[in-house]
Amino acid sequence: MSTHVQKPGWFTVNILNRTVAWLTRRGLSVWGSRVLAVRGRKSGEWRTTPVNLLTVDGEQYLVAPRGHVQWTHNMRAAGGGELHLGKKVDAFTATEVADAEKVPLLRAYLKRWKAEVGVFFNGVSPDSSDADLLRIAPDHPVFHVTLTK
């Protein structure tokens, strides 16, 4: 498994993520944003972070543009969590998508959010070849979300 991680800078952590999370907690989705809550794999405490919820062919996915970050490790351990938008809370289970199946999902994710996250995909864009998307697939975990309500 890849260990690829791109840590966010000060501006992202302290300004951008906090602003998006604040708006999302108040029910204002910024381009599909949600606040992901997942239990910590060591502490068992709820951990939250803003994420972009991708919908492809009626199915929902979470993509980790920065790689194998804390929420992805916690998701693997917990097997699911909650997605928050305002007062609405959707509990879900999560299944990790195999690298070979990520190409159309990564393409759709980049099509929607390239301006926001494209820098984390090493020059790969929504117009890149399937081979290029497959090459970077191990660096970007993708989880299929199944609502449990």
Side-chain angles (χ1 to χ4, degrees), residues 3 8 15 23 28 33 40 43 54 60 64 66 68 75 86 90 100 105 117 130:
T3 58
I15 305 297
L23 290 167
L28 193 68
S33 66
S43 69
L54 174 68
Q60 295 181 313
R66 291 180 177 273
H68 298 269
M75 185 72 71
D90 290 320
L105 303 173
V117 300
D130 286 359

Side-chain angles (χ1 to χ4, degrees), residues 102-115 117-136 140:
K102 290 180 187 176
V103 170
L105 303 173
L106 292 173
R107 188 178 309 283
Y109 189 83
L110 283 166
K111 219 172 251 188
R112 174 112 171 127
W113 290 290
K114 182 183 180 216
V117 300
V119 69
F120 307 123
F121 287 85
N122 297 321
V124 175
S125 76
D127 301 321
S128 294
S129 69
D130 286 359
D132 282 341
L133 286 160
L134 189 56
R135 176 179 50 78
I136 66 158
H140 302 282

Side-chain angles (χ1 to χ4, degrees), residues 23-92:
L23 290 167
T24 305
R25 282 189 194 101
R26 279 145 189 82
L28 193 68
S29 177
V30 181
W31 279 65
S33 66
R34 300 290 188 277
V35 173
L36 168 67
V38 63
R39 291 215 180 255
R41 64 194 179 283
K42 296 176 185 173
S43 69
E45 300 290 321
W46 285 102
R47 304 294 183 198
T48 61
T49 191
V51 294
N52 294 321
L53 184 62
L54 174 68
T55 302
V56 174
D57 297 331
E59 299 293 322
Q60 295 181 313
Y61 300 89
L62 293 174
V63 176
R66 291 180 177 273
H68 298 269
V69 294
Q70 293 300 317
W71 75 259
T72 65
H73 297 297
N74 291 338
M75 185 72 71
R76 287 183 190 109
E82 297 175 344
L83 291 168
H84 297 248
L85 178 59
K87 293 181 181 182
K88 184 179 179 194
V89 177
D90 290 320
F92 69 91

Side-chain angles (χ1 to χ4, degrees), residues 60-62 75 79-80 92-98 142-146:
Q60 295 181 313
Y61 300 89
L62 293 174
M75 185 72 71
F92 69 91
T93 59
T95 307
E96 193 159 4
V97 176
V142 177
F143 295 90
H144 180 252
V145 171
T146 304

